[in-house]
Amino acid sequence: MNAHNLTTVTEFILQGLSDIPELQTSLFTLFLAIYLVGVLGNCTIITLTTADPKLHTPMYFLIRNLSLVDLCLMTVIVPKLLINIISVKKIISFINCMSQLFFFILCMGLESLLLGVMAFDRYIAICNPLHYLLVMNKRVCTLLVASCWMICVLHSLLYTVTTSLLSFCSLNKIQQFFCDLSPLLKLSCSDTTTNEHIIFFEGFIFATASILSIVVSYVNIIIAILRIRSREGRQKAFSTCSSHLIPVTLYYGTVFFYYVRPKSSYSLEKDKFVTLMYTVVTPMLNPFIYSLRNKQVKGALRKITGRSSQ
């Protein structure tokens, strides 16, 4: 290698969403609106589930934590995206890139594990309703969420530290609108075999734990619902799960499309769109999915805004 190729990279250039100047204003307006709506929606859920005693239940405790994670995920991605849209040089320093990578992986991991815990919560509520408050008591819920945070911090540290130890030479253009793990590994001039092994083995175990929790929980839930004789009872049981199934479908549907697919279907523009779905759009939609058909949340909102609930 020549001296130029051995130059250590101190900053990266983010690809961005589009190089067409005419689209920059529209993109900035669109994502600013999405971000503000997402912040308002998630902050509203956090405020309502904290302020209203009627919403101090295990389900809303988990929803509050999911809203916090969604808020953090959007904040990790969107502000830097907005800055880059209106900037000529879409630069991010090495330290800031590693920081963004850490918080991105942390939030994605928390989203995954919390969806698994919420599936278990719905399983207990439907399959063992008489023991629900005994099993999903405040101490258990706190321990479950605290465990999710601890596991995800260690999970994120593992990926961020091993990535930061790699060498980055002359190539510094990330083919993505934020510091994602896969584009960074492609840029490295080091041997990334160890990183790839970590992703394959540790990542597989991490993802499988959450997915198995959701699949096993919902298989049992479906069996329990089918055993309910009355149509009204089945509809009520399914209604308690639908607000959780939609975010699970949106999240895992887009994540699977991005990571589990043949290489022949690779497209940079398609990848950016899919990434936007699970990093920006889904976190923005989640609070509205959880509250749109929920009478308790609507009642709490009317109460906190001073309107009569009559």
Side-chain angles (χ1 to χ4, degrees):
M1 289 186 182
N2 57 37
H4 175 71
N5 288 333
L6 292 174
T7 303
T8 301
V9 168
T10 58
E11 60 186 23
F12 295 100
I13 300 172
L14 297 170
Q15 176 76 20
L17 292 175
S18 174
D19 295 326
I20 303 174
E22 292 77 10
L23 291 178
Q24 303 310 307
T25 301
S26 299
L27 287 173
F28 182 87
T29 304
L30 174 63
F31 286 105
L32 177 60
I34 289 175
Y35 181 63
L36 292 176
V37 170
V39 169
L40 178 63
N42 284 294
C43 285
T44 300
I45 292 295
I46 294 169
T47 302
L48 292 178
T49 55
T50 302
D52 195 326
K54 291 182 180 179
L55 300 182
H56 290 179
T57 63
M59 181 179 74
Y60 290 109
F61 174 73
L62 296 174
I63 289 175
R64 177 163 68 248
N65 278 274
L66 184 67
S67 289
L68 176 61
V69 172
D70 284 335
L71 180 62
C72 292
L73 178 57
M74 293 189 74
T75 302
V76 167
I77 301 297
V78 182
K80 182 59 179 175
L81 172 61
L82 292 174
I83 292 171
N84 285 344
I85 287 174
I86 59 175
S87 300
V88 176
K89 295 183 178 180
K90 308 178 191 303
I91 293 173
I92 184 168
S93 69
F94 183 87
I95 293 175
N96 287 340
C97 184
M98 292 301 113
S99 298
Q100 188 179 50
L101 178 66
F102 171 80
F103 287 109
F104 166 69
I105 296 174
L106 173 64
C107 291
M108 291 294 291
L110 282 167
E111 187 97 13
S112 180
L113 291 189
L114 283 174
L115 288 174
V117 173
M118 292 172 76
F120 176 73
D121 172 75
R122 292 300 85 205
Y123 160 72
I124 299 297
I126 292 173
C127 299
N128 296 284
L130 297 178
H131 298 94
Y132 178 68
L133 292 179
L134 180 64
V135 175
M136 296 299 292
N137 58 58
K138 186 176 180 180
R139 181 173 177 273
V140 170
C141 290
T142 303
L143 283 174
L144 284 171
V145 171
S147 298
C148 289
W149 276 92
M150 183 177 67
I151 292 169
C152 289
V153 166
L154 294 175
H155 169 74
S156 185
L157 274 174
L158 175 64
Y159 285 94
T160 307
V161 171
T162 53
T163 302
S164 66
L165 293 175
L166 295 173
S167 296
F168 295 91
C169 305
S170 58
L171 298 176
N172 69 336
K173 190 170 185 179
I174 298 174
Q175 300 295 319
Q176 190 55 278
F177 56 88
F178 69 101
C179 287
D180 197 1
L181 184 61
S182 180
L184 283 169
L185 293 182
K186 290 177 181 177
L187 283 181
S188 175
C189 52
S190 301
D191 182 3
T192 59
T193 303
T194 302
N195 302 72
E196 290 166 4
H197 286 164
I198 290 172
I199 293 170
F200 182 81
F201 291 106
E202 192 273 346
F204 176 79
I205 294 171
F206 185 91
T208 301
S210 175
I211 294 168
L212 274 179
S213 173
I214 294 171
V215 171
V216 172
S217 295
Y218 273 99
V219 166
N220 285 281
I221 287 170
I222 291 169
I223 293 171
I225 291 176
L226 293 175
R227 287 175 179 170
I228 299 174
R229 295 184 178 182
S230 69
R231 182 180 176 183
E232 194 174 299
R234 286 197 299 269
Q235 288 178 339
K236 185 177 180 181
F238 181 76
S239 178
T240 65
C241 301
S242 61
S243 61
H244 178 251
L245 272 174
I246 296 172
V248 167
T249 304
L250 284 172
Y251 177 78
Y252 279 107
T254 51
V255 169
F256 280 164
F257 181 85
Y258 185 79
Y259 291 103
V260 185
R261 57 177 178 163
K263 290 184 178 180
S264 58
S265 65
Y266 175 82
S267 167
L268 184 58
E269 296 305 318
K270 188 187 295 183
D271 280 1
K272 289 180 183 179
F273 175 77
V274 175
T275 307
L276 281 170
M277 285 298 297
Y278 68 79
T279 59
V280 179
V281 178
T282 299
M284 183 268 291
L285 291 176
N286 279 347
F288 300 98
I289 293 170
Y290 282 115
S291 62
L292 190 61
R293 295 167 56 191
N294 194 304
K295 293 180 180 179
Q296 287 179 302
V297 173
K298 289 179 180 178
L301 182 60
R302 284 194 293 267
K303 186 187 297 183
I304 205 169
T305 54
R307 293 199 299 266
S308 174
S309 60
Q310 296 179 352

